[in-house]
Amino acid sequence: MKILELKDVNKDYDIESKEKFTALSNISVSFDKGELVSIVGESGSGKSTLMNLIGGLDSSYTGTINISGHNLKDFKDKELDDYRKKKIGFVFQSFNLIPHLSVLDNVTIGLTLSNEKESIKNHKAIELLTKLGLKNHLKKKPTQLSGGQKQRVAIARALINDPDIILADEPTGALDSGTSQQILEILKEIADNGKLVIMVTHSEKVASVSSRIVEISDGKIISDTKNNKYEKHMTKILLKNKSSVYGNKFIPSKETYTFAEVKNIQTKSKKSKGHLSFLSAVKLSIHNMWASKIKNLLMAIGVSISLISMILMLSFGSGLTGYISDQAAEYSNPTIVTLSKSGRDRNGNKIHNSGEIDSQTILSGAFTEQEIQEVSNDINNHIKDKTDFQIIYDQENENKNLSYGFSVPAFTMGSISYIPAEPDENGEIKEISTKLLYLYTTPPYYTENKLLTDNGHISKENEIMLSPAAAEFFEIEDLEECVGKEVFLNITFDTYHLRMPVKVSAIIDVSVFSNSMIMYIDYDFLDASIKAAQEDKGEEASGLVPTLLFIETGNEKIKTMIEDYVKENRKDLSGSVEEQLVEMFSEMLNTFSIALTVIAGISLIVAMIMILVVLYMSVSERTKEIGVLKSIGARKKDIKLIFSTESFLVGILSGIAGIIFTLIIGGILTLIFNSILGFAPIRMMWYYFFEALALSIVISVLAGLYPSSKAAKLDPVESLRRE
Ligand code: ADP
Ligand code: MG
């Protein structure tokens, strides 16, 4: 049985608009082991087409191609890949070595695709390369070799899997005549060792040394002649006499192998059925990425910029909220529980829009006596088994431990005014007034520690305390000067207008809210003022409705116990003014963060598109390489793996670059903030970095999906035709 038989093979190429071009018609020919066949014919006669059909690169033909009695048409994709990998060795005119791999790696690639062991791979490749006189060039890159050397590397690559058939498409086309002669000798010896070598050539000289010449014209075989002058064992004789250029120049006599010997080493592991491993794909990708390191580095920096902005934004968000809540914690009393209405029902659903300030809002934020009882009893029930402490809410009881407070955002409703003692240059005395932002009654836990001035005291009847910002409108040099000033207070509640003279008793530390216009007033004093206003109008003197409840527990554990219960079970309640402000601030920050997240998201999409474009271009650049890999048996999956591994590595690289840059930039920003503000609102959590790395990998891999599937789908014949 002949090793290769073609029967009535026809090949049409589809040209545009349904036209067909017949490249091969009725080709029937067969070949034996040990033959060195020259295919000759004019350019465009169909020689390469024939080679591609035999090599299993092109399956769209009619007729039969039998390999050792098996019809190529019956091969499944997997078997076809295996056929290219194990049975066929391709040698091309333009060598088609992979430029970023070393000579050794170019040869072992065929075994890498079978997941062969490193030691076996290298052993075989070195044997072959030594045989071909390239022992001293193993580490070189293809560009560092001469044409003849490159072609010998390509031959070693074709032989590494010990194929039965070598297909050489114009192997000497790009070489000078001396070098051509060497390559020819090698191909001859390969044939002498029992392989079928089919070689396309233009050169009559080259053809004349082969055992058989098949001439093709316009897709038809026009002659098929045995070459009687062909001496089967010529090469061996030449080798023994050391008169061959190839023998003398490249092979030290001690290390002369015959291909038969090399073949013995190879057959040992011919059983290997493995596929390209992830590790090998990583190695290949690293080689390729290293070859275009500037491009990859720039891309990684581009991606990392969006990661940096994302991490810094998150760090800012948590830094600011963290700072504010720390401050709030510092200023709240450790044993007093503060309760207010949250504007939600017990299940946490919003019941009114707390952004609108009207009397309705104030009233819905106020506790009725019934509600105070209900809340107190509920908490008492919950804690009674755990502690002796019980809330005593009855305001008439001497031992009461629950007191009232009032707070309201007062803009448009409250103002303070003062009359300067000196007339201005026109002799007029003008009233100067400012709007208040917040009005609070002084919490029971405020102590002199919170005062910013030495000369002040916590406000009593007829007195108020001001935040530094509210004090500023007095146009004073220092805060002390403000203490003791008499001012007019204007507050409008519902239908009552309170206008009364009060004294500023102190300027109070409102920590992070120092830029807010805040006024503190004694609860009982405000309550009495409202009652007076109600009586003036002839109404019932019901007084102030509390919006805050203070429970003095006298014990930190009990405070925590009550607060935990409220947090879990009473969504209708929330905490102290500070806590509410922190919440409000966090909400504002959240809105801000969402905006920033959207921007960061857009920059991530841009980064993703950038990766996609770069990888896509890389696929186009490497079209030929992909064709070569397919010709030596790479499956679609292998190609996909190589490219997706690369996008995965880009993701890791970008992620790491992003983390390093963020640490540097974050460090610098922290220094700057510390020197300007005295604190740095940047809190980097370790998990931000993991998130950023994961995100970077995910977007890179996603961006790589399309380019790598495009690479996998490339038609090997077209890829190889690409110049
Ligand atoms: P040779 O290798 O003998 O120079 P080829 O086998 O490359 O010739 O091409 C044979 C004929 O088929 C040429 O006329 C060429 O133009 C045509 N051909 C090759 N590839 C294609 C293709 N993909 N589409 C259309 N025609 C093609
Ligand atoms: Mg050709």
Side-chain angles (χ1 to χ4, degrees):
M1 183 177 44
K2 303 256 175 161
I3 183 163
L4 175 61
E5 275 182 315
L6 284 79
K7 270 185 237 155
D8 296 325
V9 171
N10 290 283
K11 165 74 192 175
D12 292 335
Y13 283 112
D14 290 328
I15 319 176
E16 271 171 84
S17 67
K18 291 171 200 164
E19 237 179 275
K20 281 185 196 289
F21 175 83
T22 304
L24 293 175
S25 55
N26 295 318
I27 301 283
S28 292
V29 63
S30 54
F31 305 95
D32 243 339
K33 282 184 177 179
E35 280 189 284
L36 173 63
V37 185
S38 280
I39 310 266
V40 297
E42 281 176 13
S43 181
S45 54
K47 306 180 294 293
S48 295
T49 304
L50 181 65
M51 300 290 260
N52 291 336
L53 295 187
I54 296 171
L57 286 175
D58 186 350
S59 304
S60 61
Y61 59 89
T62 61
T64 15
I65 300 176
N66 279 326
I67 306 287
S68 311
H70 301 287
N71 190 346
L72 212 54
K73 272 261 150 83
D74 298 336
F75 285 20
K76 295 185 192 102
D77 277 357
K78 219 177 109 189
E79 291 166 323
L80 211 57
D81 289 335
D82 255 12
Y83 167 72
R84 281 199 300 268
K85 202 190 295 188
K86 308 260 170 73
K87 299 281 179 195
I88 298 284
F90 271 101
V91 177
F92 306 93
Q93 174 178 2
S94 49
F95 324 122
N96 288 348
L97 299 176
I98 297 169
H100 52 84
L101 294 183
S102 69
V103 165
L104 186 63
D105 289 340
N106 259 289
V107 176
T108 53
I109 184 84
L111 294 173
T112 304
L113 291 173
S114 312
N115 199 19
E116 184 60 270
K117 261 204 226 149
E118 193 81 19
S119 56
I120 296 179
K121 252 178 13 186
N122 287 344
H123 183 64
K124 278 186 192 174
I126 293 169
E127 297 270 351
L128 271 173
L129 286 165
T130 306
K131 169 73 189 155
L132 290 161
L134 290 163
K135 195 187 169 201
N136 299 323
H137 306 274
L138 301 179
K139 293 270 174 296
K140 282 189 180 172
K141 291 279 155 69
T143 46
Q144 296 166 313
L145 299 177
S146 71
Q149 287 171 325
K150 281 186 206 168
Q151 199 59 299
R152 279 182 277 142
V153 175
I155 290 171
R157 177 178 66 190
L159 288 173
I160 193 82
N161 266 314
D162 188 29
D164 297 331
I165 303 169
I166 298 288
L167 299 173
D169 197 344
E170 303 193 38
T172 60
L175 303 175
D176 59 63
S177 64
T179 321
S180 297
Q181 190 59 35
Q182 294 166 19
I183 297 299
L184 216 53
E185 302 281 356
I186 295 166
L187 292 175
K188 252 181 163 177
E189 197 189 340
I190 294 167
D192 287 351
N193 277 290
K195 294 188 195 301
L196 166 61
V197 178
I198 304 177
M199 161 176 75
V200 169
T201 182
H202 272 117
S203 153
E204 269 178 43
K205 215 174 146 192
V206 170
S208 69
V209 296
S210 51
S211 67
R212 179 175 163 192
I213 300 170
V214 175
E215 196 179 352
I216 298 188
S217 176
D218 286 337
K220 295 186 191 80
I221 295 179
I222 53 168
S223 76
D224 185 349
T225 47
K226 284 249 157 49
N227 183 359
N228 296 326
K229 284 186 212 153
Y230 181 72
E231 277 183 69
K232 214 168 184 205
H233 298 290
M234 188 170 83
T235 321
K236 270 186 187 166
I237 296 158
L238 286 177
L239 256 178
K240 273 183 191 144
N241 297 338
K242 290 191 185 166
S243 56
S244 110
V245 199
Y246 157 56
N248 275 343
K249 264 196 184 163
F250 302 103
I251 309 173
S253 55
K254 262 189 260 168
E255 294 181 40
T256 306
Y257 296 82
T258 67
F259 284 104
E261 283 173 289
V262 176
K263 189 179 161 183
N264 281 339
I265 310 165
Q266 291 167 13
T267 38
K268 273 180 212 158
S269 64
K270 237 206 151 176
K271 286 167 246 138
S272 130
K273 268 192 184 151
H275 297 304
L276 180 68
S277 69
F278 177 66
L279 214 66
S280 302
V282 168
K283 233 181 110 185
L284 287 173
S285 301
I286 288 175
H287 272 297
N288 180 60
M289 285 170 73
W290 186 249
S292 38
K293 42 188 174 295
I294 304 285
K295 181 185 81 180
N296 283 302
L297 198 69
L298 287 175
M299 176 163 65
I301 290 174
V303 178
S304 70
I305 286 172
S306 57
L307 294 175
I308 294 166
S309 59
M310 201 193 72
I311 303 177
L312 284 182
M313 186 211 77
L314 285 170
S315 307
F316 256 120
S318 81
L320 274 177
T321 23
Y323 176 74
I324 292 163
S325 57
D326 280 0
Q327 293 280 315
E330 207 175 293
Y331 285 95
S332 71
N333 185 287
T335 64
I336 297 179
V337 178
T338 309
L339 295 178
S340 62
K341 286 197 170 177
S342 65
R344 293 168 190 276
D345 65 17
R346 263 174 122 134
N347 299 319
N349 302 312
K350 272 199 174 169
I351 51 176
H352 70 83
N353 179 1
S354 52
E356 263 173 46
I357 310 300
D358 53 21
S359 58
Q360 186 58 39
T361 315
I362 299 167
L363 291 176
S364 63
F367 288 97
T368 64
E369 250 172 70
Q370 225 179 339
E371 283 170 333
I372 296 169
Q373 281 174 26
E374 187 273 319
V375 168
S376 302
N377 291 335
D378 184 29
I379 294 173
N380 281 343
N381 267 338
H382 177 73
I383 61 174
K384 69 169 184 255
D385 296 335
K386 296 163 190 157
T387 170
D388 293 336
F389 179 83
Q390 288 282 285
I391 301 171
I392 300 162
Y393 52 83
D394 180 6
Q395 294 297 297
E396 308 299 318
N397 191 324
E398 264 181 34
N399 299 323
K400 67 165 181 175
N401 51 21
L402 183 143
S403 57
Y404 296 164
F406 185 83
S407 84
V408 62
F411 34 120
T412 72
M413 282 182 300
S415 71
I416 43 175
S417 317
Y418 88 110
I419 298 159
E422 306 290 327
D424 64 11
E425 58 255 36
N426 302 325
E428 283 176 39
I429 297 177
K430 261 198 213 141
E431 186 182 276
I432 299 177
S433 75
T434 187
K435 288 260 164 73
L436 289 167
L437 187 54
Y438 292 104
L439 172 72
Y440 299 138
T441 60
T442 314
Y445 52 82
Y446 271 23
T447 63
E448 309 277 318
N449 288 343
K450 279 187 73 81
L451 304 188
L452 290 173
T453 53
D454 292 335
N455 56 344
H457 59 265
I458 298 286
S459 62
K460 288 176 264 192
E461 220 172 298
N462 295 318
E463 288 177 339
I464 59 168
M465 295 187 292
L466 295 174
S467 65
E472 250 165 46
F473 104 100
F474 289 106
E475 297 158 4
I476 46 163
E477 295 275 311
D478 54 55
L479 296 174
E480 252 107 25
E481 212 187 298
C482 187
V483 175
K485 285 235 185 220
E486 289 221 15
V487 298
F488 277 98
L489 184 62
N490 299 291
I491 319 172
T492 306
F493 285 132
D494 229 359
T495 56
Y496 315 113
H497 304 285
L498 305 184
R499 182 175 162 84
M500 52 197 176
V502 288
K503 225 181 210 172
V504 178
S505 82
I507 309 303
I508 197 158
D509 184 358
V510 287
S511 69
V512 279
F513 309 108
S514 59
N515 285 326
S516 303
M517 309 283 283
I518 305 175
M519 184 186 81
Y520 285 92
I521 189 165
D522 184 62
Y523 185 89
D524 291 335
F525 170 55
L526 188 61
D527 187 41
S529 308
I530 295 273
K531 275 181 179 152
Q534 286 169 329
E535 270 166 9
D536 272 357
K537 275 194 156 188
E539 292 174 8
E540 191 197 341
S542 53
L544 198 57
V545 279
T547 61
L548 292 166
L549 304 177
F550 300 105
I551 305 163
E552 301 198 39
T553 64
N555 180 311
E556 281 183 46
K557 269 190 194 152
I558 297 168
K559 172 180 159 138
T560 314
M561 191 191 293
I562 293 175
E563 280 180 344
D564 288 350
Y565 173 72
V566 168
K567 212 169 220 159
E568 279 301 304
N569 301 289
R570 300 292 306 232
K571 299 275 191 271
D572 53 334
L573 299 175
S574 60
S576 68
V577 174
E578 284 85 355
E579 277 170 40
Q580 279 178 295
L581 283 175
V582 169
E583 238 165 65
M584 192 188 76
F585 222 90
S586 309
E587 251 168 55
M588 270 162 56
L589 273 178
N590 274 345
T591 323
F592 193 59
S593 305
I594 289 168
L596 286 177
T597 311
V598 169
I599 294 167
I602 291 170
S603 77
L604 276 176
I605 292 171
V606 172
M608 200 164 145
I609 292 171
M610 187 177 67
I611 300 173
L612 200 146
V613 169
V614 172
L615 288 175
Y616 191 85
M617 275 161 53
S618 159
V619 171
S620 315
E621 273 167 25
R622 291 162 73 188
T623 303
K624 199 126 195 197
E625 179 185 332
I626 295 163
V628 173
L629 287 172
K630 285 198 170 165
S631 75
I632 58 178
R635 304 166 305 159
K636 280 184 182 175
K637 273 187 196 166
D638 299 331
I639 305 283
K640 213 176 212 166
L641 182 63
I642 293 171
F643 278 85
S644 5
T645 305
E646 206 166 310
S647 59
F648 175 74
L649 290 179
V650 165
I652 291 184
L653 196 69
S654 312
I656 291 173
I659 288 170
I660 293 172
F661 288 135
T662 310
L663 284 172
I664 295 171
I665 295 172
I668 293 171
L669 285 178
T670 305
L671 284 179
I672 293 174
F673 274 116
N674 271 329
S675 70
I676 295 174
L677 297 177
F679 73 95
I682 297 180
R683 247 175 237 196
M684 291 187 196
M685 306 291 184
W686 59 270
Y687 55 81
Y688 293 166
F689 295 104
F690 280 89
E691 282 170 6
L693 185 62
L695 200 65
S696 165
I697 293 173
V698 167
I699 62 159
S700 306
V701 169
L702 282 180
L705 283 181
Y706 176 63
S708 52
S709 88
K710 186 182 156 74
K713 282 185 195 141
L714 279 182
D715 175 4
V717 176
E718 269 176 41
S719 326
L720 288 169
R721 249 178 227 280
R722 188 81 64 92
E723 280 319 312

